[in-house]
Amino acid sequence: MSARGATKEAILTTSINLFNQYGFENVTINQICQEINVTKTAFYYHFKSKDELISEFFSFDNFVSNDDLLNILAVTDFAEQAIKAMEIFVKHIVRSGVEMTKENYRVHLRNQILPLDKSKSALLGSIIPALLQRAKDAGQIKNPASAEELLDTMCNLANGVILNWAMTGGSFDILEETRKQFEILLVVK
């Protein structure tokens, strides 16, 4: 990994740790830079703001691991593959915790952008719609809507369940609830 790549990763990891420890609003860019001994110029080379840093951390494609991909490919049912692909984001949310999830939504509301933006994700923009279409073609999905409409609705459902989960302090099993909502939408059972 290049020095620039390592610095970006270090800034991101350190920032998230500090945000979790002290709260997003209480951490300054100076603190982040001091913690890992980089200049503010280095910070701003990689991120324009703390908001951009949060958006990067919650970027869908940033946290798809090889294990996630193998888990998706291990299933032969296309509808199940699409659901598992969507669950990657939900699992990341759970690992990030309620407070970071709340901050992610505050940042996205402040900047008027969607947390699950398919235009910025290869998985959301092309792979999941292809899986949904294959599932429709194989008769695994009974909902007559197009693959694109189904994906848009899945993203909206996921955002709603995630926001509800964060607002209730993580009081329910978010993976179970999103899966249930996806299955109802897709009419897979």
Side-chain angles (χ1 to χ4, degrees):
M1 183 185 300
S2 71
R4 286 183 176 161
T7 301
K8 183 175 185 176
E9 181 70 27
I11 291 170
L12 189 60
T13 302
T14 300
S15 299
I16 297 306
N17 289 338
L18 289 171
F19 297 156
N20 279 324
Q21 188 173 358
Y22 300 109
F24 180 82
E25 296 298 329
N26 297 323
V27 174
T28 65
I29 292 172
N30 282 338
Q31 283 176 282
I32 295 166
C33 294
Q34 288 173 354
E35 184 75 19
I36 55 172
N37 198 27
V38 299
T39 65
K40 283 176 88 171
T41 303
F43 179 93
Y44 286 116
Y45 176 81
H46 296 291
F47 303 101
K48 293 177 187 165
S49 65
K50 290 191 317 182
D51 284 2
E52 185 178 289
L53 195 145
I54 289 289
S55 291
E56 173 90 11
F57 177 71
F58 281 97
S59 170
F60 200 95
D61 289 345
N62 272 357
F63 44 79
V64 177
S65 70
N66 287 340
D67 287 342
D68 290 326
L69 292 175
L70 291 172
N71 190 21
I72 291 167
L73 294 173
V75 179
T76 56
D77 180 283
F78 296 121
E80 182 64 20
Q81 285 180 337
I83 290 171
K84 284 188 173 292
M86 288 296 294
E87 285 177 341
I88 292 169
F89 184 73
V90 179
K91 287 177 184 175
H92 184 64
I93 291 292
V94 171
R95 283 191 304 269
S96 302
V98 170
E99 291 309 312
M100 286 304 300
T101 300
K102 287 179 183 178
E103 194 53 51
N104 180 43
Y105 277 86
R106 277 193 286 275
V107 165
H108 283 86
L109 285 168
R110 201 170 25 244
N111 295 316
Q112 299 181 346
I113 54 175
L114 295 170
L116 285 172
D117 183 355
K118 65 183 181 184
S119 69
K120 295 184 179 181
S121 166
L123 191 59
L124 281 175
S126 59
I127 296 170
I128 294 175
L131 290 172
L132 291 169
Q133 188 58 55
R134 287 179 181 170
K136 287 178 69 60
D137 293 344
Q140 297 165 346
I141 292 177
K142 307 292 188 256
N143 189 318
S146 72
E148 284 295 322
E149 291 169 323
L150 290 172
L151 175 61
D152 288 344
T153 306
M154 288 177 84
C155 289
N156 289 333
L157 278 172
N159 277 318
V161 172
I162 292 165
L163 192 55
N164 186 23
W165 177 80
M167 290 171 42
T168 61
S171 66
F172 60 88
D173 186 330
I174 190 173
L175 282 168
E176 182 180 306
E177 184 61 27
T178 51
R179 173 167 284 277
K180 181 178 106 183
Q181 295 299 323
F182 292 155
E183 288 175 353
I184 290 169
L185 169 69
L186 300 176
V187 193
V188 294
K189 288 191 175 189

